[in-house]
Amino acid sequence: MGFAIQFVIDVLSLGGAYALMALGLVIIYGILRLVNFAYGELIMVAGYTMYLTSGSGLPWIMMAVFAVVMAVAFGIFTDYAAFRPVRAKSVTAVLITSFAFSNLLQNAALLFISPRPRNVPLPEIFSQTVSIGGAITPVRNLITIAASIVLLAAVAFLMRKTTLGIAMRAAATNFTMARMLGVPANLIISSAFALSGFLAGVVGILWIGRIGTVVPGIGLEPLLVAFIATVIGGMRSLSGAVFGGFLLALIDTTLNYTLSQDLLKFRDAFTFGLVILILLWRPEGLIRGPASGQRT
Amino acid sequence: MLDIRDLLVNYGTIRAVRGIGFNLAKGELVSLLGANGAGKSTTLKCIAGALKASGGSITLDGTNITSASPEQVVRAGLATVPETRDVFPDLTVSENLMLGAYIHRRDRAGNRDNLERVHNLFPRLAEREGQAAGTLSGGEQQMLVIARALMSRPSVLLLDEPSLGLAPAIVERIFEMIETLKRTGLTILLVEQNVNQTLAVADRAYIMRLGKIVASGTANEIRSTTDLSAHYLGG
Ligand SMILES: Nc1ncnc2c1ncn2[C@@H]1O[C@H](COP(=O)(O)OP(=O)(O)O)[C@@H](O)[C@H]1O
Ligand SMILES: [Mg+2]
């Protein structure tokens, strides 16, 4: 019993984090048909903001809010620096600028901060554990689950009930038509980058909360996770990305529980093997998004 | 109301529209006829701001909108219904209509009145309010894109082949609806291949062939003097 509860909590907390990462990536992809390779650096920005404000004496929650604000600001900045100038040009140009921007941010962190891990302040509660039905589990995991439920619900509300959200969904299926109805392209794109940055900021704090330190390359794993989750879930669908995140977490956690010690270091190889099988079976991803037109 | 002069539109090296000019007076229903590939849709997309003109000018009610963005054009009072019948398939009928009113989104009372007007024009859409637009029939989707364009309260409406691929009974309804809209004083540019039905409702018509306008006149003149089939079959 305790074991089962432990497993479910592990899957849900890892899955919640993965789902948020994937959602932040697919929101941009849905609208621009482009993967933002500088997405992981938004998590890095959130982490270093926490590190840099750690001596300020602010309450932790204020630092966290500030870190999220910085991730949002950098999200919007990514659009202006890497996407907007070349958006009308080729896909290749944008892919390269988004790689370059990612590298630039990482190298800035290397140069101006340090290649070595830096401590990020964490509240007491992140290192506490509780016992639920016999399973000892970090409170951090429960916070992650709660945060992902709240955020997924908030994003669902935004996308379904608000004019901005509905306009973003419309723009994701047919950008030109949305513009012909007066939906401003730049507003939609900036909103998507802001939302992406917001999700990256929150998930960044939760993610970094697992290790307590930030390094310049911290964003690579979240980017990879988000990318794989969206690919298996279906690049065009928001719910697909969330589903893909939880599925990937289920696979990872199951392998963690079942692989023997000496096989565990090859866990990612098993995960990717399964991902390849899923894609052979369903090349479009598991959840089809709406049929959609050209990239914009 | 709408004045097009020497309009040039290219796709790379393909010259799709080669210096055409035409105009619409307020409240007029003008038709642009021509075979497939004549450049009619290209002209409409360019007026709508979705394609850049390589030359010439587009003036709407005295304002130059030649290089305006699509969002600026609809704000200026010109709505476009493309031939591709672009409903947002995963959005419901009412969400589609709500986006049509995007530029008036703060005027809720006005939108409610306008929605009622649109529902009177297309009772079918009222019945299907909560349904995903992608699940509508072709005729219903056509009604939805026209209704959505009307939600922006345009003074000029561009319609690109609204009867394309629809059953005769539905085509009949669409043309009736176009006449109703004309009676409300809306200025309409109607692109069609359905010559007889179009000339029956249009005040004037222009005939396009290979990117140029080759004939123009009142509907009666076009009907009696132009050898339509030559322009069509030769298109
Ligand atoms: N996206 C495009 N790229 C290149 N050529 C195009 C494109 N769209 C249309 N054309 C060409 O432009 C010409 C006019 O097309 P179009 O405006 O669609 O004609 P119509 O609407 O009168 O059938 C045709 O020769 C067509 O092949
Ligand atoms: Mg056409």
Side-chain angles (χ1 to χ4, degrees):
Chain A
M1 190 57 204
F3 174 80
I5 291 174
Q6 180 83 56
F7 181 80
V8 169
I9 289 176
D10 282 357
V11 170
L12 290 181
S13 65
L14 191 64
Y18 282 8
L20 293 177
M21 290 171 190
L23 199 53
L25 192 67
V26 86
I27 277 170
I28 303 291
Y29 183 84
I31 287 171
L32 293 177
R33 299 280 175 271
L34 288 166
V35 175
N36 175 16
F37 284 104
Y39 179 60
E41 277 57 54
L42 300 179
I43 287 172
M44 183 197 84
V45 164
Y48 279 117
T49 307
M50 297 287 279
Y51 161 69
L52 292 172
T53 51
S54 61
S56 66
L58 285 170
W60 182 82
I61 190 73
M62 290 307 295
M63 290 191 265
V65 168
F66 188 54
V68 173
V69 169
M70 286 301 285
V72 170
F74 267 80
I76 296 172
F77 181 52
T78 311
D79 178 32
Y80 279 89
F83 282 67
R84 207 163 282 208
V86 289
R87 205 154 68 207
K89 311 274 180 350
S90 69
V91 187
T92 332
V94 189
L95 283 183
I96 290 170
T97 49
S98 95
F99 262 123
F101 191 67
S102 154
N103 254 299
L104 189 78
L105 289 180
Q106 279 193 38
N107 281 297
L110 276 173
L111 191 64
F112 296 114
I113 300 173
S114 166
R116 306 242 310 275
R118 287 293 183 224
N119 284 324
V120 166
L122 291 173
E124 194 76 341
I125 196 164
F126 265 61
S127 44
Q128 289 165 352
T129 56
V130 284
S131 165
I132 302 175
I136 310 284
T137 188
V139 178
R140 192 184 63 228
N141 285 354
L142 302 179
I143 295 175
T144 306
I145 295 175
S148 36
I149 292 171
V150 170
L151 284 183
L152 292 175
V155 172
F157 178 82
L158 173 76
M159 300 307 277
R160 297 196 170 276
K161 298 289 175 208
T162 68
T163 307
L164 178 68
I166 294 171
M168 284 170 76
R169 280 161 62 211
T173 49
N174 191 332
F175 204 172
T176 310
M177 191 63 236
R179 296 185 64 186
M180 279 161 67
L181 297 176
V183 176
N186 287 338
L187 170 77
I188 292 300
I189 294 171
S190 293
S191 305
F193 273 97
L195 184 56
S196 175
F198 177 74
L199 292 169
V202 175
V203 88
I205 292 168
L206 297 169
W207 190 247
I208 291 167
R210 296 156 51 109
I211 21 179
T213 57
V214 54
V215 290
I218 187 98
L220 182 62
E221 192 186 347
L223 172 69
L224 202 60
V225 161
F227 187 65
I228 294 166
T230 52
V231 168
I232 46 181
M235 292 293 269
R236 287 191 189 149
S237 132
L238 298 183
S239 42
V242 171
F243 177 75
F246 280 101
L247 182 63
L248 189 60
L250 177 67
I251 295 173
D252 274 356
T253 312
T254 309
L255 292 173
N256 278 346
Y257 275 61
T258 52
L259 289 182
S260 65
Q261 206 51 300
D262 42 338
L263 280 179
L264 203 53
K265 49 181 181 285
F266 302 114
R267 188 197 73 181
D268 286 351
F270 284 96
T271 305
F272 292 144
L274 273 170
V275 169
I276 291 172
L277 286 181
I278 292 174
L279 289 179
L280 285 174
W281 171 48
R282 286 278 192 97
E284 289 265 309
L286 295 175
I287 295 182
R288 295 252 169 100
S292 64
Q294 293 289 305
R295 64 170 282 271
T296 340
Chain B
M1 194 73 199
L2 181 65
D3 194 16
I4 313 293
R5 290 198 187 156
D6 305 320
L7 188 69
L8 297 168
V9 192
N10 303 330
Y11 295 102
T13 56
I14 300 171
R15 296 169 59 221
V17 173
R18 311 175 174 196
I20 64 168
F22 59 90
N23 59 65
L24 280 77
K26 194 166 164 45
E28 232 185 350
L29 200 174
V30 173
S31 173
L32 196 56
L33 299 166
N36 264 331
K40 307 179 299 295
S41 299
T42 305
T43 306
L44 254 54
K45 282 185 210 153
C46 182
I47 298 172
L51 286 175
K52 286 235 170 306
S54 316
S57 71
I58 306 167
T59 314
L60 176 66
D61 211 5
T63 318
N64 185 331
I65 55 160
T66 314
S67 47
S69 67
E71 30 300 36
Q72 287 167 333
V73 172
V74 68
R75 274 171 206 281
L78 185 143
T80 309
V81 176
E83 68 183 328
T84 34
R85 223 163 272 165
D86 294 315
V87 298
F88 299 116
D90 61 329
L91 268 51
T92 64
V93 169
S94 58
E95 285 171 338
N96 269 274
L97 291 175
M98 187 196 100
L99 281 181
Y102 185 86
I103 57 174
H104 303 293
R105 63 194 177 286
R106 303 233 155 69
D107 177 17
R108 293 180 182 225
N111 287 336
R112 218 173 302 123
D113 293 349
N114 203 19
L115 185 65
E116 200 178 306
R117 197 170 74 89
V118 162
H119 276 164
N120 283 334
L121 207 53
F122 303 104
R124 205 40 178 272
L125 296 179
E127 292 162 24
R128 304 276 151 121
E129 228 170 24
Q131 198 172 320
T135 63
L136 298 178
S137 72
E140 289 164 346
Q141 291 195 3
Q142 185 63 58
M143 292 175 195
L144 178 56
V145 282
I146 296 173
R148 192 177 61 188
L150 292 175
M151 290 301 289
S152 75
R153 309 179 203 171
S155 48
V156 178
L157 179 66
L158 311 187
L159 291 172
D160 198 350
E161 302 207 34
S163 72
L164 191 71
L166 298 179
I170 313 238
V171 173
E172 199 73 35
R173 295 254 309 276
I174 301 264
F175 274 96
E176 274 166 25
M177 180 276 310
I178 292 172
E179 281 196 282
T180 312
L181 287 179
K182 176 179 157 51
R183 277 197 295 275
T184 66
L186 188 61
T187 309
I188 303 173
L189 178 61
L190 173 61
V191 164
E192 263 299 339
Q193 300 209 34
N194 209 326
V195 182
N196 291 327
Q197 255 164 322
T198 304
L199 289 179
V201 296
D203 297 314
R204 289 188 299 121
Y206 293 87
I207 297 188
M208 260 187 106
R209 183 165 183 260
L210 299 174
K212 291 197 166 127
I213 286 181
V214 291
S216 67
T218 64
N220 282 331
E221 285 166 5
I222 296 278
R223 221 184 336 237
S224 54
T225 62
T226 316
D227 185 357
L228 285 174
S229 60
H231 291 297
Y232 271 87
L233 301 175

